[in-house]
Amino acid sequence: MAQQQARHRIGILGAGNIFGRYVEGLRTFPELEVVRVADVDTARAKQAASEYAIPAWGDAGELLDDDAVEIVINITPPRFHAKTVIAALEAGKHVYVEKPIAATVEEAREVLDAAAAGGKLLGSAPDTFLGSAVQTARHAIDTGLIGEPVGATAFVRSSRAETWHPDPRAFYGPGGGPVLDMGPYYLAALVNCLGPVRQVSAATRIGAKTRKVTSPGRVVDEITVEVPTHASATLTFASGAIGTTLMSFDVWDTELPRIEIYGTEGTLALPNPNFFDGDVRVKRHHDSQWAVLTPVIELFGAVDTPEQHRRGLGVRDLAGAVDGGPHRANPLFAFHTLDVLESFETSQRERRFVEIESSCERPEPRYAH
């Protein structure tokens, strides 16, 4: 008789824009079950529960008091992450939080202390590095396909949030901006492939100081920008590789690649790390053409379809760690990512190279073959 898969009961805190993406992604894993949704706006929580046939809904307190909830997914705005994550950990829940792990490194340290004190597991986005694209690139590097990694480039272009998000203020306020909004996806991919960062030198600025909001159903017509929207940085990895990054909400159109990794024997080209899957291409020095690598693990969703907008692979990673498996999207990895990205503004403000005090292990790879 086949062994029945363990079920992990999940409560989602926050019923905002990406709530549906999590529910749809989690439902691809039979061992995960969403049993409650909570929001500061309980009417919105009720509507979300009805739309997705979730049995219970209410406010945050009711979610934390619910003994049926084992894992809390926190998709509140970044400025609320530290407070709500700590509350969930203290309530005896395992927690998976959207990126960044907290709005600041100082708050993130408090979150890590709470996780260590409570004995519950804490996971954090971004988890797209767990998908087939970055895992395939990691496998290529680990097997020496491009020789020794020498350098990398990463280019973040605007997601044009003001054209599709009904309330994009969080993208341009504390905890937002291209560095903390999109940067974690790119940096997580690079750290997974190349290891931790040792030193950062950066320059940042604000582009347009106000933004017109044109999205359907918008709740504001214009927002004031509070954080830098254009940043350029040089990252020196502990391995010796050097990365060049551009992260900008002011770049709407470009022909730059997403991520490229350069080795002594060839180059890897990676797709948008905001998605789990996509073609990873390689061109070794003796090759006349680029070649597409065969994915080393199964796809999370069909490429170039709405399935790539789903979330949940990191929650599955956390649930697997609860069951005794490896924990890849772990708090030290997430903290290091935030530490590096926050150092961009420190470097700009103090006009110096910033030595990164934190570090992390490269997550265990997800090789299927």
Side-chain angles (χ1 to χ4, degrees), residues 155-159 182 186 248-249 251-252 254 256-258:
F155 299 101
V156 177
R157 70 282 309 270
S158 177
S159 65
M182 295 299 297
Y186 289 73
S248 180
F249 281 171
V251 175
W252 278 43
T254 176
L256 293 168
R258 297 286 186 170

Side-chain angles (χ1 to χ4, degrees), residues 128-188:
T128 48
F129 75 92
L130 299 172
S132 70
V134 177
Q135 292 297 313
T136 298
R138 164 76 177 267
H139 183 262
I141 292 169
D142 289 353
T143 56
L145 187 63
I146 62 168
E148 179 186 353
V150 174
T153 53
F155 299 101
V156 177
R157 70 282 309 270
S158 177
S159 65
R160 308 184 185 188
E162 54 266 51
T163 68
W164 56 266
H165 198 290
D167 188 2
R169 285 176 289 187
F171 292 93
Y172 295 96
V179 175
L180 289 183
D181 177 52
M182 295 299 297
Y185 298 107
Y186 289 73
L187 188 60

